[in-house]
Amino acid sequence: MSKFIENISTLQNNTFALTPLLVSFYKNLKPTDKNILLAYFVLPLVLNNEFLEKIQKITTASNLSRITRDKDIMAGFEERFDYYKEQTNMCLQYAIDSGYIEVDDNLRVTVIYDDNRFIAPQLIKSNEMAAKLYRVFTKDVVNTYYEFGIKKL
């Protein structure tokens, strides 16, 4: 039975399927130094059903503390953050290798090619949320990590 669960997890956490979520996030994010480090927040948030249900409309008035104060969203966030860390690395590498994004010397991500035709049907809502998530990441990278309570990467 555990082999079955491992295989399902591998299928659902497929690098090819999850990479468009990161590209959608960076498409609208203002390029700032070290913004590549914000990628590690995307998958733990947009693949969390509690987050998708509670934050249906992210506006420019939304802020990061709206997310970090919600106990339902933040319950287990650090574990999800650690769980998706390696997957995020693989997605970033795939996005760079495929020419979707470019990372400069200041670790600033710029989207070069955004092709969202191949979004898995079960990830459409997550992709829409990833595209809007840039609105709440208005603080610098260090303060964002501090706000989420993440002490190490």
Side-chain angles (χ1 to χ4, degrees):
M1 187 66 162
S2 91
K3 273 289 198 201
F4 175 75
I5 292 172
E6 286 178 26
N7 291 335
I8 292 295
S9 176
T10 301
L11 288 173
Q12 289 182 341
N13 294 319
N14 184 324
T15 302
F16 306 111
L18 296 179
T19 298
L21 300 176
L22 294 180
V23 176
S24 291
F25 170 69
Y26 281 111
K27 179 175 61 174
N28 297 318
L29 185 70
K30 179 182 153 196
T32 58
D33 288 352
K34 299 180 183 164
N35 72 350
I36 194 170
L37 298 174
L38 296 177
Y40 296 96
F41 293 100
V42 176
L43 297 181
L45 287 173
V46 301
L47 296 177
N48 178 3
N49 289 331
E50 287 290 330
F51 178 75
L52 290 176
E53 288 176 19
K54 288 190 174 237
I55 312 282
Q56 288 299 319
K57 295 184 179 179
I58 291 180
T59 66
T60 53
S62 300
N63 60 22
L64 196 55
S65 61
R66 178 180 173 196
I67 296 169
T68 57
R69 275 191 255 138
D70 190 313
K71 292 177 182 164
D72 290 333
I73 293 172
M74 292 305 294
F77 179 80
E78 193 167 350
E79 289 82 18
R80 286 191 315 274
F81 185 87
D82 288 337
Y83 178 79
Y84 284 112
K85 195 182 305 182
E86 186 61 34
Q87 187 65 45
T88 300
N89 287 336
M90 291 188 294
C91 289
L92 286 169
Q93 188 62 54
Y94 176 68
I96 292 167
D97 292 345
S98 298
Y100 295 132
I101 63 172
E102 181 179 80
V103 181
D104 67 12
D105 293 338
N106 294 323
L107 300 178
R108 189 177 312 136
V109 176
T110 307
V111 174
I112 298 171
Y113 179 68
D114 177 28
D115 184 11
N116 283 336
R117 291 181 293 170
F118 304 111
I119 299 292
Q122 69 271 22
L123 294 176
I124 289 175
K125 242 181 166 176
S126 296
N127 189 58
E128 290 169 0
M129 190 57 64
K132 295 177 184 177
L133 197 57
Y134 78 95
R135 294 175 179 164
V136 297
F137 286 103
T138 56
K139 296 182 177 187
D140 66 2
V141 173
V142 173
N143 287 328
T144 300
Y145 272 78
Y146 178 76
E147 185 87 23
F148 275 96
I150 303 297
K151 295 172 183 72
K152 64 181 175 102
L153 181 59

